[in-house]
Amino acid sequence: LPCLGCLAGGATLLFSPSSAVGNEMGSEVFWVGVAYFASGGSFLFAVLLGWFISTYSVLNSRDKLHKQIAVSLFVATMVLTIFILMVVFAASLVFSVDLVDYGISDEERGSIACYVDTANSCTNCYPNGEGWDPTEPQCPEWTLDDVVKVLQTQLKQSATLAAIFLIYAFSALRFGFVLRSHVSRYQIEYI
């Protein structure tokens, strides 16, 4: 679940036309979407390690060493995931409380407003549409402040999503430490 959620969160932030972090805007927070992909990849790696750990039998001291290495990799992967998610959480909060200027041009403002507008309150949004005038700005009904509030809301949602995934990551890390102590106590030599 967290693996797919991180990938979906990253894809939404990176590829949505109304996203606060889209690359076409040259945004300073583009890396937040990329960090979601990185955390999704590390969650996937942790899932694969967990699958390996659960299916790998310990029959001798060499098998025990392999399992200990896999558990240590699992713990390290979860620490990396927690670090990435904490950075995403902090960056999303900082950018969502209006501490940073977004630097949105009027063209970008109009494009985002046209995409986000679900009540058809915008004018001059679609080429060859009714009243289309390429010399006029898109959706003059939405101000820059309105668009910035939408973008800040997206980043608040990003912070909430990161917090949820942090809970998953901390519980998985706890599981990794418990598993490491159990594996270290395996008795494999027979008399």
Side-chain angles (χ1 to χ4, degrees), residues 17-28 102-104 108 112 151:
S18 68
S19 174
V21 299
N23 190 22
E24 60 273 351
M25 287 176 26
S27 179
E28 299 159 357
Y102 284 98
I104 299 172
E108 292 166 340
I112 293 170
L151 299 180

Side-chain angles (χ1 to χ4, degrees), residues 51-147:
W51 173 76
F52 172 77
I53 292 166
S54 70
T55 60
Y56 193 76
S57 299
V58 176
L59 302 174
N60 55 35
S61 59
R62 185 176 177 195
D63 291 342
K64 179 181 175 181
L65 178 65
H66 290 163
K67 197 160 194 167
Q68 284 177 324
I69 290 170
V71 170
S72 295
L73 275 172
F74 179 83
V75 168
T77 301
M78 292 317 303
V79 168
L80 175 67
T81 304
I82 288 170
F83 175 73
I84 293 170
L85 287 172
M86 289 177 99
V87 168
V88 167
F89 178 76
S92 295
L93 283 181
V94 166
F95 283 101
S96 71
V97 293
D98 203 15
L99 295 177
V100 179
D101 179 28
Y102 284 98
I104 299 172
S105 70
D106 192 52
E107 182 180 317
E108 292 166 340
R109 179 214 47 82
S111 174
I112 293 170
C114 286
Y115 183 79
V116 172
D117 179 44
T118 57
N120 294 328
S121 64
C122 284
T123 57
N124 204 32
C125 279
Y126 305 105
N128 303 325
E130 185 179 326
W132 168 254
D133 185 2
T135 61
E136 294 292 319
Q138 288 182 311
C139 195
E141 294 84 7
W142 283 54
T143 65
L144 181 61
D145 288 339
D146 296 334
V147 172

